Amino acid sequence: MTNIKSGEVRNEKLTRSGGRLPVAGVLLGSLLLTLHPSAAFAQDSAVVPDKMSYVPFGPSIMGIDKDPSKATSTTGDSATLYQRRMSMPWSKEAFHDEGPAHWVVVDGYFIDKYEVSNSKYAEFMKTKGHPGPAYWDDPRLNKPNQPVVGVNWFDAKAYCEFKGKRLPTEAEWERAARGPEGLKYPWGNEFDAAKANFGKNHAATLPIDSMPEAASPYGLHHMAGNVFEWVEDWYDPDFYRKTPHSVNTMGPLKPIWIGGTGTYVDRLTVGEKRVIRGGSWIAAQSSITTTHRFWNHPSNNSYGVGLGFRCAKSASTVVNDKVRTATIDAMKRMGQEKWQEAKTQIATALELEPHNTELQQMQAIVQDNIR
């Protein structure tokens, strides 16, 4: 993996097309930037691996600004002792680690469509002699197609490396959950209790491939609820303020010591933390938004019987080039009104990016002209 310093911005020139573009080109002007290939995190995969989704190079929004309408004054003589105490860093409004909203640019990568299952983790345990996770014998949680739970960060990292993958960065996880439009929930901007397993609205974790109607724009299941998911990064509540315009954000280079939030026990807890994302089957509704950040000690494997993970893998420049070339060729054919050839090129690009809305718009234009 490329060594990028925390907060560092690479000064790369993005490829831009010259001259006037045809109608399709105007429609996809920003796509040429999105498909710029980059060598960081490069690996040798030229096709999308099985049961993974491809997320292309490009900018995306990360984080969310605090809603000023919910802020309350906790200073001055009129504030009660309780209010003044709750204005300390463990107060949700004061401890706003989800903001400010900012742009990040992430290289193309692959990410698992599903959380790692018990059956897949069992193969890892058998092959590597790795110890079993917590709750391995819990009948509520140990069915083959349920997500593995009770794993710590080191377990998750070891499994991903065993599969030739790695844990996603926090920026990659959020980009995959929010999609190109920066959604609040994987399925959209409106809350829908039927589309997530949280707050014990189900008796236990659900199968990893369930709730397809709630999948993220890139086709990922259970990016809200089911299990909290480990990511690569160390946790820092102020990290978003330190890196407002970063490329391939990797989180802090070193852990910081923080105080906990939430319950009384959490407030007494300090230490080095790794980020966990996505909420879980027993966590509150507030934890299942695509911007919610939480943390746990990397050695802890038992946060609310809901600690799991999914893996990621860096895409090679071959994949990025294939998408860009097919898209540009399609635009040229559309400008020449060679609609059948354009259709073929768009189909090639959509094989890698089936959820790309700009490509879908191009496809609709081509279909209208073929009829």
Side-chain angles (χ1 to χ4, degrees):
M1 188 178 296
T2 304
N3 184 19
I4 302 172
K5 294 181 180 180
S6 175
E8 180 181 17
V9 179
R10 289 203 310 252
N11 293 318
E12 294 183 349
K13 294 183 178 179
L14 300 182
T15 302
R16 301 175 185 271
S17 65
R20 274 184 79 83
L21 294 173
V23 173
V26 174
L27 177 66
L28 290 186
S30 62
L31 185 61
L32 293 177
L33 298 181
T34 301
L35 297 176
H36 172 74
S38 180
F41 301 158
Q43 295 180 2
D44 294 329
S45 294
V47 296
V48 179
D50 184 42
K51 296 180 181 178
M52 299 188 85
S53 289
Y54 173 64
V55 182
F57 169 93
S60 60
I61 194 71
M62 187 173 187
I64 189 170
D65 291 323
K66 183 170 67 172
D67 184 354
S69 67
K70 295 182 180 179
T72 58
S73 175
T74 56
T75 59
D77 296 335
S78 61
T80 66
L81 176 61
Y82 174 78
Q83 288 175 321
R84 289 197 295 271
R85 287 192 57 167
M86 291 308 293
S87 68
M88 296 297 288
W90 53 70
S91 165
K92 183 177 179 181
E93 285 303 325
F95 198 78
H96 183 67
D97 61 352
E98 298 177 40
H102 58 288
W103 287 99
V104 295
V105 179
V106 180
D107 286 336
Y109 61 99
F110 306 115
I111 187 167
D112 288 347
K113 292 181 179 179
Y114 312 115
E115 296 156 332
V116 174
S117 67
N118 285 319
S119 62
K120 292 297 184 183
Y121 200 81
E123 295 174 5
F124 164 62
M125 290 165 54
K126 182 178 180 180
T127 302
K128 302 298 289 186
H130 199 87
Y135 318 109
W136 191 243
D137 297 323
D138 190 326
R140 299 172 304 164
L141 305 167
N142 65 3
K143 295 179 179 63
N145 206 35
Q146 285 178 290
V148 65
V149 294
V151 293
N152 65 32
W153 184 87
F154 299 102
D155 294 328
K157 181 178 175 66
Y159 174 90
C160 290
E161 291 175 350
F162 166 71
K163 300 295 286 187
K165 304 177 185 180
R166 56 176 173 78
L167 286 171
T169 66
E170 190 175 10
E172 288 173 337
W173 191 99
E174 186 164 324
R175 176 170 167 80
R178 302 184 76 173
E181 296 181 4
L183 302 175
K184 183 176 181 180
Y185 300 97
W187 57 82
N189 288 317
E190 299 299 325
F191 173 70
D192 187 340
K195 291 184 176 180
N197 182 15
F198 70 97
K200 295 186 178 179
N201 59 2
H202 292 272
T205 56
L206 295 178
I208 59 171
D209 55 357
S210 58
M211 291 188 171
E213 69 281 3
S216 79
Y218 292 110
L220 276 63
H221 290 231
H222 292 295
M223 294 296 273
N226 221 31
V227 296
F228 271 113
E229 298 180 15
W230 289 108
V231 297
E232 173 66 27
D233 303 43
W234 290 109
Y235 175 76
D236 179 350
D238 295 319
F239 188 67
Y240 288 7
R241 280 181 276 272
K242 300 173 185 175
T243 55
H245 304 290
S246 52
V247 175
N248 291 326
T249 291
M250 289 291 293
L253 293 178
K254 296 180 180 180
I256 64 169
W257 284 72
I258 62 171
T261 71
T263 67
Y264 175 74
V265 174
D266 281 340
R267 294 176 193 170
L268 298 180
T269 303
V270 295
E272 301 170 346
K273 311 290 186 181
R274 294 279 185 178
V275 177
I276 53 178
R277 284 297 206 117
S280 77
W281 67 284
I282 66 169
Q285 175 184 329
S286 60
S287 71
I288 66 170
T289 65
T290 54
T291 61
H292 180 76
R293 309 174 71 207
F294 209 62
W295 62 92
N296 201 359
H297 191 281
S299 295
N300 192 338
N301 65 0
S302 59
Y303 183 80
V305 296
L307 275 178
F309 66 103
R310 72 181 74 217
C311 304
K313 187 175 184 178
S314 303
S316 71
T317 56
V318 174
V319 175
N320 295 323
D321 280 339
K322 185 175 181 180
V323 177
R324 185 177 68 160
T325 299
T327 303
I328 293 174
D329 284 348
M331 292 165 60
K332 290 178 180 178
R333 301 298 180 265
M334 291 172 71
Q336 297 165 353
E337 297 187 358
K338 296 180 178 179
W339 304 111
Q340 287 291 349
E341 294 179 20
K343 179 180 177 180
T344 300
Q345 294 297 331
I346 293 171
T348 298
L350 280 171
E351 286 180 2
L352 289 172
E353 290 193 58
H355 305 283
N356 187 306
T357 55
E358 289 87 356
L359 287 172
Q360 291 168 0
Q361 291 172 20
M362 284 180 68
Q363 187 179 51
I365 293 172
V366 169
Q367 291 290 1
D368 286 343
N369 283 276
I370 289 177
R371 294 169 185 167

